[in-house]
Amino acid sequence: MALGQRPRRRAREEPERDAPPDPSADPESVARTICLNLLTARARTRSELAAELARRDVDDDVAVVVLDRLEEVRLLDDSAFAEQWVDSRHRHRGLGKRALSQELRRKGVEAEVANAALDELDPESERAKAVELVRRRLPSLDRVEPQAAARRLVGMLARKGYGAGLAYEVVREEMASRGAELEGAAPDDDELV
């Protein structure tokens, strides 16, 4: 190593995740190992684990047995996953109910489970997060005409899953507090979707 050079870091050795399972190994053991490795990285839904097992050519009957057992020992719980997902994504990414609902649907969470988790998100919390997002973005729009700034802010909130009525109300109030008046009435929720 030359003078002044940093020593190279060794790459972290990870198990071969895409390596084909050993044909002589017990299929349930292989499926359980796949699931546990995935759950070690982060919480997953039953649907996500089932899709990964199918991708790795694990027999459907074996997958069902392993997934049922993981649920039985509470290593796999879609309702707990949904509650944690909603809380985390709302708090850290500022996502509204619509966006959270779509994400849970993509993760394979059943509609009733997703709705129960979304019901835990109270309207005041959602409104407070929308206000926080608008306040954070407003300074960057000081040189933009008020109507254009309002469109951008409402659009930002719509992309984050907030309803049009709430988005427009929050934007109008926050811009008014900075001395900007907006023309026109608030749009319906369907206008921004």
Side-chain angles (χ1 to χ4, degrees):
M1 179 166 62
L3 188 61
Q5 277 187 326
R6 289 185 182 173
R8 278 201 245 171
R9 288 186 177 185
R10 287 187 179 171
R12 216 173 14 149
E13 293 181 28
E14 291 190 26
E16 287 284 327
R17 288 191 173 173
D18 291 329
D22 179 12
S24 65
D26 172 39
E28 269 187 46
S29 176
V30 169
R32 187 172 30 264
T33 300
I34 291 169
C35 290
L36 291 175
N37 285 341
L38 291 169
L39 288 170
T40 299
R42 70 169 176 84
R44 313 261 177 173
T45 64
R46 183 181 179 107
S47 176
E48 287 177 304
L49 291 178
E52 183 61 23
L53 291 174
R55 188 182 77 76
R56 297 200 190 185
D57 297 323
V58 172
D59 185 60
D60 289 343
D61 294 335
V62 172
V64 168
V65 167
V66 169
L67 294 173
D68 286 347
R69 178 65 182 146
L70 289 173
E71 282 183 340
E72 199 176 295
V73 296
R74 302 200 37 94
L75 287 175
L76 183 60
D77 183 352
D78 281 0
S79 65
F81 173 88
E83 289 171 12
Q84 178 270 332
W85 188 266
V86 166
D87 180 56
S88 173
R89 302 287 283 180
H90 176 69
R91 187 175 330 132
H92 299 294
R93 299 275 319 270
L95 298 181
K97 283 187 177 183
R98 283 184 185 171
L100 292 166
S101 175
Q102 289 173 348
E103 285 187 351
L104 289 173
R105 196 171 335 134
R106 279 193 300 266
K107 296 276 181 198
V109 175
E110 293 180 13
E112 309 85 53
V113 174
N115 289 338
L118 290 167
D119 287 344
E120 295 297 315
L121 186 62
D122 65 58
E124 285 306 310
S125 172
E126 193 171 23
R127 180 180 176 69
K129 187 54 83 169
V131 167
E132 177 186 329
L133 291 168
V134 168
R135 285 180 181 166
R136 193 178 319 149
R137 181 82 194 278
L138 258 174
S140 69
L141 298 172
D142 280 343
R143 294 188 176 139
V144 178
E145 181 182 327
Q147 288 300 121
R151 279 193 306 272
R152 289 180 189 179
L153 291 168
V154 170
M156 173 200 60
L157 290 176
R159 286 187 299 278
K160 289 204 172 266
Y162 293 91
L166 173 64
Y168 193 76
E169 181 182 326
V170 167
V171 168
R172 180 184 286 273
E173 288 173 7
E174 290 304 310
M175 290 188 74
S177 73
R178 295 178 67 113
E181 290 298 319
L182 299 177
E183 301 168 6
D188 293 334
D189 276 349
D190 297 333
E191 286 182 35
L192 294 177
V193 179

